[in-house]
Amino acid sequence: MKVLVAVKRVVDYNVKVRVKADGSDVDIDNVKMAMNPFDEIAVEEAVRLKEAGKVSEIIAVSLGSKKCEETLRTALAMGADRAIHVETDHKLEPLTVAKVLKKVAEKENPQLLFLGKQAIDNDANQTAQMLAALLNAPQATFAFKIDLSDNEVTVKREIDGGEETVALTFPAVISTDLRLNEPRFVKLPNIMAAKKKPLEKISPEDLGIDTMPRLQVLKVSEPKPRQAGVKLTDVVELVDKLRNEAKVI
Ligand code: AMP
């Protein structure tokens, strides 16, 4: 069984992003980048399924600038078998990514397609759903447990106030949530070995996909700074403030 895992290069989750002075976007020059955390979970899950003898090949795919190679090498070091870099310097929207992944899936014929539930840079939470729709394939989003058998995959998903269990036939699109697993720490020998694994390069144009943006960002702004708190002496003062300042009682 083949698994295709989509891995996005994003600003590292520890970095506090700054908005550009002209409010057009966030400033990512000289900022530490890393694999999207939900995609790391997706790679880890695929690798665990391979280690359990349930999966035969893991293909990591990333779309974006030349630097995405680093992200793909990380996926290879974690245990992916080969990588496909769809190289472009254009700004990509979820629909474009989904269209490209569909083309790659049609070429590779994976039974499972793992994506993160959302990219932590745009917080779109759209690509997996769009990909499933384009492929006309079943989808399970926000997966926190995956059980694989020969003819179906059972997924437990996070839903508001509980969990849901769904069974999907192949090919299935699954988006990973935080509770699914804890990604492994990549060791140096694996990083070295990953350098020798195959990394194929293609462009969206090779796949016949037009990357022209359909959406326009009007403005990006920092969240409003929070007002400093005050210490009150007693409940009487609190009630007074709630009644006369906040006017909520
Ligand atoms: P989003 O819908 O943008 O929140 O992204 C959801 C998931 O789609 C990510 O966690 C990735 O698995 C995948 N994805 C989005 N953009 C890319 C990209 N440029 N390259 C590879 N995978 C991507």
Side-chain angles (χ1 to χ4, degrees), residues 18 69 72 76 87 104 133 138 169 180 183-184 198 202 245:
R18 288 179 319 264
E69 264 176 46
L72 286 168
L76 294 169
E87 193 170 346
V104 176
T169 51
L180 183 60
R184 68 198 56 200
I202 48 174
E245 266 182 36

Short mmCIF file of all heavy atoms in Angstrom, two decimals, residues 18 69 72 76 87 104 133 138 169 180 183-184 198 202 245:
data_model
loop_
_atom_site.label_atom_id
_atom_site.label_comp_id
_atom_site.label_asym_id
_atom_site.label_seq_id
_atom_site.Cartn_x
_atom_site.Cartn_y
_atom_site.Cartn_z
N ARG A 18 6.07 38.84 12.42
CA ARG A 18 5.84 40.29 12.38
C ARG A 18 5.13 40.62 11.08
O ARG A 18 5.37 40.00 10.04
CB ARG A 18 7.17 41.04 12.41
CG ARG A 18 7.89 41.02 13.76
CD ARG A 18 9.19 41.78 13.62
NE ARG A 18 9.85 41.48 12.34
CZ ARG A 18 10.81 40.57 12.18
NH1 ARG A 18 11.25 39.88 13.20
NH2 ARG A 18 11.36 40.35 11.01
N GLU A 69 12.95 21.80 -0.45
CA GLU A 69 13.81 20.62 -0.46
C GLU A 69 14.18 20.22 0.96
O GLU A 69 14.23 19.04 1.29
CB GLU A 69 15.10 20.96 -1.20
CG GLU A 69 15.09 20.57 -2.65
CD GLU A 69 16.37 21.04 -3.34
OE1 GLU A 69 17.47 20.83 -2.77
OE2 GLU A 69 16.24 21.61 -4.41
N LEU A 72 11.41 18.43 2.56
CA LEU A 72 11.29 17.07 2.04
C LEU A 72 12.40 16.18 2.58
O LEU A 72 12.17 15.00 2.89
CB LEU A 72 11.33 17.11 0.50
CG LEU A 72 10.04 17.64 -0.14
CD1 LEU A 72 10.23 17.92 -1.62
CD2 LEU A 72 8.89 16.66 0.06
N LEU A 76 12.11 12.65 4.51
CA LEU A 76 12.89 11.46 4.12
C LEU A 76 13.67 10.93 5.32
O LEU A 76 13.79 9.71 5.52
CB LEU A 76 13.83 11.78 2.96
CG LEU A 76 13.14 12.13 1.62
CD1 LEU A 76 14.14 12.70 0.62
CD2 LEU A 76 12.43 10.91 1.04
N GLU A 87 8.07 22.55 -7.71
CA GLU A 87 8.76 23.83 -7.43
C GLU A 87 8.07 25.00 -8.11
O GLU A 87 7.80 24.97 -9.31
CB GLU A 87 10.21 23.72 -7.89
CG GLU A 87 11.04 24.85 -7.36
CD GLU A 87 12.53 24.66 -7.59
OE1 GLU A 87 12.97 23.54 -7.92
OE2 GLU A 87 13.26 25.65 -7.43
N VAL A 104 -0.68 14.68 -8.89
CA VAL A 104 0.38 13.77 -8.40
C VAL A 104 -0.25 12.44 -8.00
O VAL A 104 0.27 11.36 -8.29
CB VAL A 104 1.15 14.41 -7.21
CG1 VAL A 104 2.17 13.43 -6.65
CG2 VAL A 104 1.84 15.70 -7.65
N ALA A 133 -12.57 16.26 -2.56
CA ALA A 133 -13.65 16.59 -3.50
C ALA A 133 -13.17 16.43 -4.95
O ALA A 133 -13.86 15.83 -5.77
CB ALA A 133 -14.13 18.02 -3.26
N PRO A 138 -13.36 9.47 -0.47
CA PRO A 138 -13.83 9.72 0.89
C PRO A 138 -12.78 10.45 1.71
O PRO A 138 -11.58 10.32 1.45
CB PRO A 138 -14.08 8.32 1.45
CG PRO A 138 -13.30 7.41 0.59
CD PRO A 138 -13.17 8.05 -0.75
N THR A 169 -13.25 3.71 2.27
CA THR A 169 -12.63 2.82 1.27
C THR A 169 -11.47 3.58 0.63
O THR A 169 -11.33 4.79 0.80
CB THR A 169 -13.66 2.43 0.19
OG1 THR A 169 -14.26 3.63 -0.29
CG2 THR A 169 -14.72 1.50 0.74
N LEU A 180 -2.91 12.47 17.27
CA LEU A 180 -2.66 11.22 16.53
C LEU A 180 -1.38 10.52 16.97
O LEU A 180 -1.34 9.31 17.17
CB LEU A 180 -2.64 11.51 15.02
CG LEU A 180 -2.47 10.34 14.09
CD1 LEU A 180 -3.60 9.33 14.23
CD2 LEU A 180 -2.41 10.81 12.62
N PRO A 183 5.57 12.96 16.83
CA PRO A 183 6.61 12.67 15.85
C PRO A 183 7.97 12.40 16.50
O PRO A 183 8.30 12.97 17.53
CB PRO A 183 6.67 13.95 15.01
CG PRO A 183 5.35 14.59 15.20
CD PRO A 183 4.91 14.24 16.58
N ARG A 184 8.70 11.49 15.87
CA ARG A 184 10.02 11.10 16.39
C ARG A 184 11.04 12.22 16.22
O ARG A 184 10.87 13.09 15.36
CB ARG A 184 10.51 9.85 15.66
CG ARG A 184 10.85 10.05 14.20
CD ARG A 184 10.89 8.75 13.46
NE ARG A 184 9.64 8.01 13.60
CZ ARG A 184 9.52 6.70 13.39
NH1 ARG A 184 10.56 5.98 13.00
NH2 ARG A 184 8.37 6.10 13.53
N PRO A 198 15.72 9.39 -3.26
CA PRO A 198 15.33 10.12 -4.47
C PRO A 198 14.41 11.31 -4.20
O PRO A 198 13.47 11.19 -3.41
CB PRO A 198 14.62 9.07 -5.33
CG PRO A 198 14.52 7.85 -4.52
CD PRO A 198 15.24 8.00 -3.24
N ILE A 202 9.40 18.67 -10.18
CA ILE A 202 8.52 19.01 -11.30
C ILE A 202 7.97 20.41 -11.05
O ILE A 202 8.17 20.96 -9.96
CB ILE A 202 7.35 17.98 -11.47
CG1 ILE A 202 6.65 17.69 -10.12
CG2 ILE A 202 7.81 16.71 -12.10
CD1 ILE A 202 5.43 16.82 -10.27
N GLU A 245 -17.90 50.48 34.99
CA GLU A 245 -16.88 50.64 33.94
C GLU A 245 -17.17 49.73 32.76
O GLU A 245 -17.35 50.17 31.64
CB GLU A 245 -15.48 50.33 34.50
CG GLU A 245 -14.77 51.57 34.98
CD GLU A 245 -13.38 51.25 35.48
OE1 GLU A 245 -12.71 50.35 34.90
OE2 GLU A 245 -12.95 51.89 36.46
#
